Amino acid sequence: MERWPFPLSFSVRGAEGLWRVSAGAPRAGELIDLLAAVANDAVAVVSLETNSYLDEEWRPLRPSLIAAELSVPCMVHSLGAWTSGTNGLAEELLVMDRCLLPRLFDGTWSPYELALIDVPADVTAEQLDEFVLVLGTTGIDEPLLSRLGDSRVWFSGHDDCYVMLETRDPALPAAVLARLLTLLAGSALAELIEEPFSRIPEPGPWLPEQLIATAPHWIGALGNVTEDLVAIGLAALPGPWQLDVSFPRQADLTATLDVRHGTWRVTPAE
């Protein structure tokens, strides 16, 4: 309401070999390489809504036409009207090789609603219908991948800001948290020097793993920023971050990027 920037937020919970992550505020394209790295050979884009591609009557283009505009080869599977009105599902879905995801979400446009899940490379039309049925009947707080035996990652992005994902890969939650820290530091440096800052080193896995081992829910906000150092205050929360939760008066830890040496460290907040 006061037009404050969204804070870094991260929450993870694990059970029975699955990890569920909610996070803010990365854009879908800023995480897509992490998702492609852990997915099976093919990925199904099951929901895609955007204002970046509109027809002559200002209606959003179908996902297949967006893929064609970007020269991304894919298989189009029509679902028809039986999915109409189901949150997170479109009337057609796209199946493509996972290596093509970065080409589709290349940063030149923005989806405000996106959901995708990995599938076998030889997935059939009948199997896709079964995937869609599971996606459409699983509650938001229910584990999804446990009902889809071979899938390794499910992603849902909203307003190009809120992210929810589920994965079988134990390293993916830490990789997402490392990316969030890098994006926040990079945005601060870009604003400071008034131009894009292209080379921001990501923290090693030890840093996000240490944070996750300390607490499952975090909120982060920028501290002191210079051309040489970027400090990010981190506070543990009792539960996942929500829109009305502001940053506490006192941070618990400080993650600091040494820009000159390309290193990160975590220290108790002063």
Side-chain angles (χ1 to χ4, degrees):
M1 298 293 289
E2 291 81 10
R3 301 184 68 181
W4 294 341
F6 276 78
L8 177 157
S9 66
F10 177 87
S11 180
V12 62
R13 60 181 179 179
E16 301 178 355
L18 298 176
W19 288 265
R20 288 177 64 89
V21 173
S22 57
R27 295 182 296 174
E30 294 167 335
L31 299 179
I32 210 70
D33 61 315
L34 302 181
L35 305 178
V38 305
N40 283 311
D41 291 336
V43 172
V45 178
V46 297
S47 176
L48 176 58
E49 298 181 33
T50 180
N51 291 322
S52 299
Y53 285 94
L54 304 174
D55 63 18
E56 295 82 359
E57 298 182 3
W58 300 96
R59 295 175 302 190
L61 290 184
R62 298 196 312 273
S64 56
L65 295 179
I66 296 174
E69 287 277 348
L70 294 166
S71 301
V72 177
C74 61
M75 179 183 76
V76 182
H77 179 67
S78 178
L79 298 173
W82 69 278
T83 62
S84 179
T86 303
N87 186 41
L89 293 175
E91 291 189 9
E92 68 174 22
L93 57 81
L94 311 179
V95 180
M96 66 190 67
D97 190 289
R98 66 175 184 174
C99 68
L100 295 173
L101 282 177
R103 190 196 299 185
L104 180 62
F105 303 102
D106 61 0
T108 62
W109 61 285
S110 176
Y112 64 81
E113 187 80 21
L114 171 67
L116 56 84
I117 190 165
D118 63 326
V119 296
D122 57 353
V123 66
T124 65
E126 292 76 14
Q127 288 174 317
L128 289 173
D129 286 339
E130 292 175 3
F131 272 85
V132 169
L133 182 61
V134 171
L135 290 169
T137 57
T138 301
I140 190 170
D141 291 324
E142 295 181 82
L144 174 65
L145 295 187
S146 60
R147 299 177 63 186
L148 297 170
D150 296 326
S151 294
R152 294 181 51 80
V153 65
W154 165 80
F155 171 92
S156 179
H158 309 277
D159 299 325
D160 214 0
C161 175
Y162 300 103
V163 165
M164 294 182 65
L165 66 88
E166 188 173 301
T167 183
R168 298 183 190 274
D169 191 307
L172 183 57
V176 170
L177 180 51
R179 181 64 55 84
L180 293 175
L181 291 165
T182 305
L183 291 169
L184 185 56
S187 66
L189 289 170
E191 184 174 352
L192 181 68
I193 66 176
E194 297 183 346
E195 63 181 50
F197 204 99
S198 59
R199 295 185 179 181
I200 305 295
E202 291 198 356
W206 65 270
L207 192 158
E209 289 172 358
Q210 176 183 330
L211 293 175
I212 292 172
T214 302
H217 314 293
W218 289 93
I219 186 172
L222 286 169
N224 293 329
V225 177
T226 70
E227 292 188 10
D228 295 323
L229 295 173
V230 178
I232 299 174
L234 296 165
L237 298 177
W241 177 77
Q242 295 182 343
L243 188 60
D244 61 344
V245 176
S246 58
F247 193 84
R249 292 184 178 181
Q250 177 65 40
D252 297 309
L253 299 171
T254 300
T256 303
L257 167 64
D258 185 322
V259 180
R260 188 178 300 276
H261 296 96
T263 58
W264 287 81
R265 68 177 186 270
V266 174
T267 55
E270 298 180 355

